Amino acid sequence: MPEQIFLIVVILNLVISSFMVGLIWLIQLVSYPLFRYVGVDDFRKYHSIHVKKITPLVAFVMVCEAAVALSLLIFIEEVSVGLLVINTTLICLIWGSTAFLQIPYHQRLEFPENRIFYIEKLVNTNWIRTVLWSSKLTISIWVLVSFVGF
């Protein structure tokens, strides 16, 4: 692959990380806490619409993020392998948290009983993804700086 394509992939890694950091902080500080203020009668519908609208966006960007990270790991030699492994590992941890914590809590929120308990669980465990994506943004900046040789 030509050097320009490598640079595009490195920049794309940073752009995707930046987007996901903005999105996860919005979800963490605004969307999930607002679940507490939706009445019991409207909650199931509100939550269902939230999930239907956010899932395609998040899933698409997460798949793109994973593809970019794997491309970096496989094709980029100008950046430390350790740095690229950390980048990819953070994505794996994010996927694990999503699959084993956030998705199950969202599924439990489809049923009104114990909704406040599961909202709190969702908010509290989502800090894991918030910290991981924020860390990944830092690593993505470091990957770009390493690649261009500042």
Side-chain angles (χ1 to χ4, degrees), residues 4-129:
Q4 295 87 357
I5 293 175
F6 289 156
L7 179 58
I8 290 169
V9 175
V10 168
I11 291 171
L12 190 57
N13 183 60
L14 178 60
V15 168
I16 291 171
S17 294
S18 299
F19 175 82
M20 290 309 292
V21 165
L23 183 62
I24 198 66
W25 278 98
L26 177 69
I27 289 169
Q28 183 63 30
L29 298 178
V30 178
S31 294
Y32 286 173
L34 284 176
F35 284 178
R36 297 176 184 123
Y37 302 101
V38 179
V40 174
D41 296 336
D42 296 323
F43 185 79
R44 181 178 278 173
K45 182 177 181 181
Y46 177 83
H47 180 259
S48 177
I49 292 169
H50 167 82
V51 169
K52 285 178 186 165
K53 289 187 178 271
I54 199 85
T55 299
L57 173 66
V58 171
F60 174 75
V61 178
M62 285 178 70
V63 168
C64 290
E65 182 178 47
V68 166
L70 289 174
S71 297
L72 289 172
L73 195 57
I74 293 167
F75 298 111
I76 304 293
E77 296 176 0
E78 294 83 2
V79 177
S80 159
V81 172
L83 197 56
L84 298 177
V85 167
I86 292 168
N87 188 59
T88 306
T89 301
L90 288 169
I91 292 170
C92 292
L93 293 171
I94 290 164
W95 279 61
S97 179
T98 301
F100 296 113
L101 294 173
Q102 284 72 50
I103 289 174
Y105 287 136
H106 272 291
Q107 290 169 337
R108 290 183 182 114
L109 284 172
E110 290 296 320
F111 304 99
E113 58 276 356
N114 295 325
R115 122 184 123 79
I116 297 300
F117 174 78
Y118 287 115
I119 289 169
E120 295 308 314
K121 286 289 196 180
L122 184 62
V123 169
N124 291 336
T125 62
N126 197 56
W127 279 111
I128 296 167
R129 294 191 306 174

Side-chain angles (χ1 to χ4, degrees), residues 123-138:
V123 169
N124 291 336
T125 62
N126 197 56
W127 279 111
I128 296 167
R129 294 191 306 174
T130 304
V131 168
L132 289 171
W133 258 311
S134 298
S135 300
K136 186 181 176 306
L137 177 57
T138 302

